[in-house]
Structures are given as structure tokens and as C-alpha cells.
Amino acid sequence: VQLVESGGGLGHPGGSLRLSCAASGSIFRAISMAWYRQFLGKERELVAVRENTGITRYVDSVKGRFTISGDNAKNTVDLQMDSLKPEDTAIYYCNIRVYDFDWNVDDYWGQGTWVTVSS
């Protein structure tokens, strides 16, 4: 399974950016797609997740500012980031969680994309 991310780059405080991710390869059954981020020197944290049921969850720091959406049939997920803050600066990673053909749960990751918020 491969994940290709796009978007990101430089954003301004109060502005917007959009991240997109597409998963391809041998996917038996997807469970969820999500966006994580990693601040310098910190562990990776969950930003937002969209389960294949359509249920979404967000970390408190982005609630009301970020919106996750996706297409189950295409195994794609987007993250619309509005009202950006400098503290959103991080490397953002796309994740897909799947069942493999033995019904084991596997996680796959994108290569990461930088989001820098600065005036």
C-alpha cells in the first residue's frame, strides 16, 4: 500500500491550506484514514481521523478550524486547514488503517509534508 500526499507548504496566520492524500495498492478493507503531525522534537500526534463509517474525530487544538473529508471508494482523504496558527507548523503525515487478507490490522504512512505557518 502506498500513500501519496500533496498540498502543504507555507501558510499565513489566519489563512488556509489544504492537504490531500491518496492510497493505492492491495487494500483488502480500509478501516480509517487520518492525518497526524509531528512537531520538532516531539512524538507524532493524531490531528484528525475519518472512519469508513463517516465518523470523524479531531484533536482539541484543531476543532472548529480543520475539516477532514474523504472518499471511501477512492481511498482518499483531505484535510482543510483554516484559521491557521503558527503552532500548526509541523510535518503532516497521512495514515490509512486497513484489514489485511488475514484480518490483521495494518497501518501505512505517507512520506510526510511540511506545513509552515508564518507571517
Side-chain angles (χ1 to χ4, degrees):
V1 177
Q2 298 80 40
L3 289 95
V4 177
E5 300 153 341
S6 60
L10 176 64
H12 300 293
S16 299
L17 286 173
R18 188 176 185 88
L19 303 180
S20 296
C21 175
S24 61
S26 183
I27 298 174
F28 172 56
R29 182 164 296 183
I31 300 170
S32 63
M33 293 191 76
W35 287 96
Y36 286 71
R37 65 186 178 186
Q38 188 167 16
F39 303 112
L40 289 176
K42 299 292 181 67
E43 293 187 357
R44 199 172 296 185
E45 70 169 18
L46 177 66
V47 177
V49 58
R50 179 184 179 277
E51 299 178 11
N52 269 33
T53 58
I55 295 173
T56 59
R57 287 180 283 117
Y58 299 87
V59 67
D60 285 347
S61 59
V62 307
K63 284 180 180 177
R65 300 190 299 121
F66 291 9
T67 304
I68 190 169
S69 61
D71 185 324
N72 291 350
K74 297 179 180 179
N75 290 315
T76 59
V77 66
D78 295 329
L79 185 68
Q80 178 65 38
M81 303 184 291
D82 298 321
S83 302
L84 287 167
K85 301 178 180 180
E87 51 263 43
D88 294 320
T89 296
I91 302 174
Y92 285 70
Y93 294 91
C94 178
N95 164 271
I96 186 169
R97 179 163 290 177
V98 305
Y99 286 116
D100 64 21
F101 291 95
D102 294 320
W103 292 97
N104 298 311
V105 176
D106 295 321
D107 281 299
Y108 295 92
W109 298 90
Q111 77 281 4
T113 185
W114 264 106
V115 170
T116 302
V117 182
S118 174
S119 55

